[in-house]
């Protein structure tokens, strides 16, 4: 990965094991993610965008370790923390439940007091958010949880 990343402007890590197997989930959602972070640092790539999920920072407090979602939540949370401890200019993006809807480039950024009932996020809007944060050097060393919504990405993520 270090050789592949050398000379790159940024690295975007957007992968998931798809659940079902805790070992595979840990291998993809934590081990591969942290390997990419280390490789970016070694290659001298400063900008890193991690696609996580909305609530990754707080789900572990709410989930029973026997819950089938727990291995995913744990792997993503651990990978996010690993990235936060790095030297990289990171952005962690936390979309809601992914859909195949078309891009609108409009979202609702979530906060502790802002949890809509519709938590869907189009994959296309995730791509638009990635493009926005990279093109505008936005949300450096920040986590941005978001869902599809009414507000243009350009006006809510700086």
């Amino acid at each position: 990965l270090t050789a592949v990343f050398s000379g790159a402007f940024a690295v975007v890590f957007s992968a998931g094991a798809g659940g079902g197997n805790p070992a595979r989930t840990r291998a993809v959602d934590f081990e591969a993610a942290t390997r990419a972070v280390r490789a970016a640092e070694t290659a001298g790539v400063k900008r890193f965008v991690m696609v996580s999920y909305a609530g990754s920072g707080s789900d572990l407090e709410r989930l029973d370790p026997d819950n089938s979602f727990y291995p995913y939540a744990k792997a993503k949370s651990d990978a996010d923390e690993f990235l936060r401890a790095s030297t990289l200019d990171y952005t962690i993006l936390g979309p809601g439940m992914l859909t195949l809807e078309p891009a609108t480039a409009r979202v609702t950024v979530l906060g502790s007091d802002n949890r809509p009932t519709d938590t869907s996020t189009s994959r296309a809007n995730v791509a638009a958010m990635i493009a926005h944060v990279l093109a505008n050097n936005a949300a450096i060393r920040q986590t941005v949880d978001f869902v599809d919504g009414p507000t243009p990405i350009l006006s809510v993520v700086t």
Side-chain angles (χ1 to χ4, degrees):
L1 289 178
T2 300
V4 172
F5 293 169
S6 291
F9 164 73
V11 171
V12 176
F13 188 88
S14 180
N21 181 312
R24 185 181 69 225
T25 297
R26 187 77 180 168
V28 172
D29 294 300
F30 175 73
E31 292 168 18
T34 58
R35 193 173 307 128
V37 169
R38 284 192 298 273
E41 287 180 310
T42 302
V45 178
K46 290 300 295 173
R47 193 71 170 99
F48 197 101
V49 176
M50 175 85 75
V51 178
S52 188
Y53 77 95
S56 133
S58 59
D59 269 356
L60 290 180
E61 300 166 8
R62 295 186 289 242
L63 287 171
D64 182 323
D66 292 331
N67 184 306
S68 63
F69 188 70
Y70 187 86
Y72 175 80
K74 175 80 170 131
K76 286 295 192 185
S77 177
D78 289 351
D80 293 350
E81 285 305 312
F82 187 89
L83 179 56
R84 286 184 187 103
S86 78
T87 62
L88 299 174
D89 291 338
Y90 69 83
T91 301
I92 298 171
L93 297 177
M97 182 68 69
L98 296 174
T99 72
L100 297 174
E101 297 300 314
T104 62
R106 294 175 176 274
V107 298
T108 296
V109 173
L110 305 176
S112 58
D113 60 338
N114 184 17
R115 293 284 174 188
T117 55
D118 181 3
T119 61
S120 61
T121 311
S122 77
R123 285 176 166 82
N125 274 347
V126 176
M129 184 70 85
I130 292 167
H132 170 75
V133 299
L134 290 175
N136 296 285
N137 217 21
I140 301 289
R141 298 192 71 77
Q142 294 179 37
T143 298
V144 181
D145 287 347
F146 64 99
V147 297
D148 291 345
T151 310
I153 290 171
L154 290 170
S155 63
V156 293
V157 179
T158 58

